């Protein structure tokens, strides 16, 4: 995930402003419009599933796809599983990063 | 925040600010690793320090920043980056609707400022105390003090991460910090069955369709994840409450 796409600074700033816009608009929405109309429960539930679905969709290919091929034996997947195990067992916010990077480096060295 | 100068800082405002700050302070410790990791991940994904700091100030959301970095780095089309950021941020609509009633006395620029500052942790500690206290000045103080504190901590920690990452060789795979952060964000979300189904479906579809051009598979995966969450919820309990 390094390299291509980053040579054009103008494109990057455009992306950053676009992301900022679609982040600030939902945040400010009801506060600015001043509407007290409650969101229908059905919509509220759909909105709750969106971040989980989106995060998983972004992160899963990072773990499972290496060089455009689905691969179950790659250091990133191993390190990702370590992160999930550590984060579900302990509350310390630093630990997943230490364990994740440590196991990634170890597995890359072994591979 | 220039609008602060125009507000008379009444005793009620200060009392609210103290209460809000005290309530949020322990939680704000958790922002420290997140801010630093986001800083490292932005540089690790190829942003220059200026671009990284610009993103940090403009977007001011760990989830939106970390979630879109892999797409920016892969050169994904703008509309897909926007769609992903939107999916990551739709929860803010719920927060905004929940807290909006407290800020009706403010003028438009101040409301935009209040909206820009809205983050999950502050929303969580503010909602109940602000519902109970009838004084609008107290409520404003209770919201602004922890919000501005969160903003300052976030910017400072990200800056630390950005400067730190610049001193590290690229062979250390620091972009993986973003993946770790996303996994740690995802884990508590997947606590209920429908949320878990939404996440698993989203992930599986994204992997299955990774070969589609323009990363179109990501969009299909997000929609499939949301729909499967709905389906799982209906199967689990027909009268699904909140």
């Amino acid at each position: 995930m390094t390299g291509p796409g980053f040579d054009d600074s103008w494109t990057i700033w455009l992306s950053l402003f676009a992301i900022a816009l679609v982040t600030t608009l939902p945040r400010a929405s009801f506060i600015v419009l001043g509407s007290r109309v409650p969101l229908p429960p059905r919509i509220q539930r759909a909105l709750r599933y969106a971040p989980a679905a989106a995060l998983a969709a972004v992160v899963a290919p990072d773990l499972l796809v290496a060089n455009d091929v689905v691969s179950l034996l790659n250091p990133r997947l191993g390190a990702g599983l370590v992160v999930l195990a550590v984060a579900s067992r302990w509350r310390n916010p630093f630990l997943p990063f230490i364990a994740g990077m440590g196991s990634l480096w170890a597995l890359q060295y072994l591979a | 925040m220039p609008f602060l100068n125009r507000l008379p800082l009444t005793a009620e405002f200060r009392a609210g600010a103290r209460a809000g700050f005290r309530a949020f302070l322990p939680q704000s410790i958790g922002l420290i690793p997140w801010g630093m990791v986001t800083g490292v991940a932005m540089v690790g994904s190829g942003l220059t320090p200026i671009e990284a700091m610009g993103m940090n100030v403009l977007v001011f959301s760990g989830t939106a920043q970390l979630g879109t970095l892999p797409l920016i780095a892969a050169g994904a089309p703008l509309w897909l980056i926007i769609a992903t950021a939107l999916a990551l941020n739709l929860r803010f609509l719920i927060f905004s609707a929940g807290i909006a009633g407290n800020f009706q006395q403010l003028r438009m620029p101040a409301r935009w400022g209040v909206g820009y500052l809205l983050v999950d942790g502050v929303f969580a500690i503010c909602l109940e105390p602000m519902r109970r206290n009838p004084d609008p000045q107290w409520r404003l103080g209770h919201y602004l003090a922890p919000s501005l504190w969160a903003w300052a901590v976030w910017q400072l920690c990200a800056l630390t991460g950005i400067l730190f990452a610049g001193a590290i060789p690229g062979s250390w795979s620091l972009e993986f910090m973003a993946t770790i952060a996303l996994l740690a964000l995802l884990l508590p979300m997947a606590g209920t069955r429908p949320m878990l189904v939404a996440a698993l479906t989203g992930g599986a579809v994204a992997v299955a369709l990774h070969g589609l051009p323009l990363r179109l598979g990501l969009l299909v995966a997000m929609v499939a994840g949301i729909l499967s969450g709905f389906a799982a919820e209906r199967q689990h309990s027909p009268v699904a409450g909140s």
Side-chain angles (χ1 to χ4, degrees):
Chain A
M1 79 189 210
T2 49
F6 267 123
D7 35 21
D8 190 352
S9 170
W10 187 85
T11 314
I12 295 195
W13 280 105
L14 184 66
S15 306
L16 299 186
F17 273 101
I19 298 165
L21 189 70
V22 293
T23 306
T24 304
L25 284 180
R27 277 174 163 165
S29 57
F30 285 87
I31 294 172
V32 166
L33 295 176
S35 164
R36 290 187 187 221
V37 178
L39 286 169
R42 181 180 267 269
I43 306 273
Q44 288 206 21
R45 290 203 303 276
L47 299 186
R48 268 210 297 273
Y49 298 128
L55 281 183
V58 169
V59 82
D62 270 352
L63 296 177
L64 287 161
V65 180
N67 302 321
D68 280 336
V69 183
V70 176
S71 145
L72 294 179
L73 281 174
N74 77 81
R76 292 169 160 267
L77 181 59
L81 293 176
V82 169
V83 168
L84 287 177
V86 165
S88 55
R89 177 72 180 76
W90 290 285
R91 278 285 176 82
N92 186 318
F94 295 89
L95 209 53
F97 299 105
I98 297 167
M101 290 313 292
S103 50
L104 179 72
W105 290 330
L107 290 168
Q108 279 175 341
Y109 179 76
L110 293 173
Chain B
M1 294 287 115
F3 65 85
L4 269 184
N5 303 330
R6 266 184 267 143
L7 295 167
L9 292 180
T10 62
E12 285 75 23
F13 181 94
R14 282 195 293 267
R18 270 194 302 273
F21 182 74
R22 266 201 303 270
F24 183 63
L25 190 59
Q27 236 194 80
S28 66
I29 305 295
L31 286 176
I32 295 172
W34 286 102
M36 289 174 55
V37 162
T38 304
V40 169
M42 286 188 291
V43 175
S45 299
L47 293 184
T48 67
I50 301 288
E51 289 164 348
M53 213 49 217
M55 180 185 217
N56 213 60
V57 171
L58 288 170
V59 180
F60 182 49
S61 160
T63 313
Q65 289 170 241
L66 291 164
T68 52
L69 275 179
L71 299 180
I72 302 176
L78 187 60
W79 64 264
L80 187 57
I81 294 174
I82 291 175
T84 305
L86 202 55
L88 294 171
N89 289 325
L90 280 177
R91 71 184 188 286
F92 284 131
L93 277 176
I94 301 174
F95 299 168
S96 190
I99 211 166
N102 296 292
F103 304 117
Q104 299 311 300
Q105 79 280 12
L106 297 179
R107 281 184 274 175
M108 275 304 156
R111 285 194 205 175
W112 279 104
V114 160
Y116 161 79
L117 286 170
L118 183 60
V119 294
D120 305 40
V122 174
F123 173 80
I125 62 122
C126 274
L127 200 58
E128 268 316 298
M130 284 167 67
R131 193 171 286 167
R132 284 198 306 270
N133 197 304
D135 190 297
Q137 284 294 315
W138 189 93
R139 295 193 302 223
L140 188 60
H142 194 280
Y143 176 81
L144 279 184
S147 296
L148 292 171
W149 172 247
W151 190 88
V153 170
W154 184 253
Q155 302 305 335
L156 199 67
C157 292
L159 183 62
T160 310
I162 289 166
L163 297 176
F164 174 75
I168 289 178
S171 60
W172 284 24
S173 308
L174 279 186
E175 79 285 349
F176 193 65
M177 295 280 257
T179 309
I180 299 175
L182 292 173
L183 284 172
L185 276 177
L186 188 56
L187 198 63
M189 278 187 197
T192 67
R193 174 113 66 112
M195 290 287 265
L196 183 63
V197 170
L200 289 177
T201 308
V205 173
V207 170
L209 300 182
H210 77 271
L212 287 191
L214 301 176
R215 282 211 167 201
L216 265 172
L218 182 59
L219 194 71
V220 181
M222 288 191 287
V223 174
I226 294 170
L227 291 179
S228 69
F230 257 128
E233 167 189 292
R234 197 159 308 154
Q235 197 184 35
H236 201 218
S237 64
V239 271
S242 48

